[in-house]
Amino acid sequence: MTRTRTGEVPAVTDTIFAEEVLTAGLPVLVEFTASWCAPCHMMAPVLAEIAREEGHRLKVVQLDVDTNPETTVAYGVLSMPTLMLFRAGEPVRSMVGARPKRRLLQELTDVL
């Protein structure tokens, strides 16, 4: 995995998505993002904080939709940012749009 522009949240690709997300031991929050997406940039510090604070129970990664079309299409992602939580290899929650940290954590509470 490579580090993204924030240096905090690792990036995954089509090639390593299954290994890093679908077979992970923890639930994984994937941000489907793009370099041109302003709300995605707003989410970067939020996701970095969550990755640091919740790393013991949640893995956080980003996937660039422009360079990883296979995964983007496979999960029907049409808008950025799309945040999708995977548990045991299956998507269990999908949210579209930027949101504050507190709201995001509240939306994830029942599926973590």
Side-chain angles (χ1 to χ4, degrees):
M1 286 190 302
T2 58
R3 296 287 171 189
T4 59
R5 63 193 166 276
T6 64
E8 299 283 340
V9 178
V12 295
T13 63
D14 285 343
T15 308
I16 62 171
F17 187 83
E19 176 187 343
E20 293 294 332
V21 176
L22 303 181
T23 62
L26 294 172
V28 183
L29 180 63
V30 179
E31 179 195 28
F32 291 84
T33 187
S35 60
W36 46 263
C37 169
C40 298
H41 293 286
M42 291 170 36
M43 286 301 299
V46 171
L47 294 174
E49 275 187 47
I50 291 173
R52 276 194 309 273
E53 295 170 7
E54 302 293 332
H56 62 286
R57 66 181 187 140
L58 176 69
K59 182 176 179 179
V60 181
V61 298
Q62 294 179 328
L63 182 124
D64 185 304
V65 298
D66 291 327
T67 56
N68 298 284
E70 278 180 37
T71 305
T72 303
V73 170
Y75 291 99
V77 174
L78 300 173
S79 299
M80 271 53 71
T82 291
L83 302 162
M84 199 171 289
L85 183 73
F86 288 81
R87 190 171 53 206
E90 296 295 324
V92 294
R93 173 78 33 96
S94 182
M95 301 154 283
V96 177
R99 60 224 329 113
K101 176 182 159 189
R102 187 168 133 194
R103 179 175 161 208
L104 178 55
L105 288 173
Q106 285 173 340
E107 290 174 310
L108 296 174
T109 299
D110 64 322
V111 289
L112 283 179

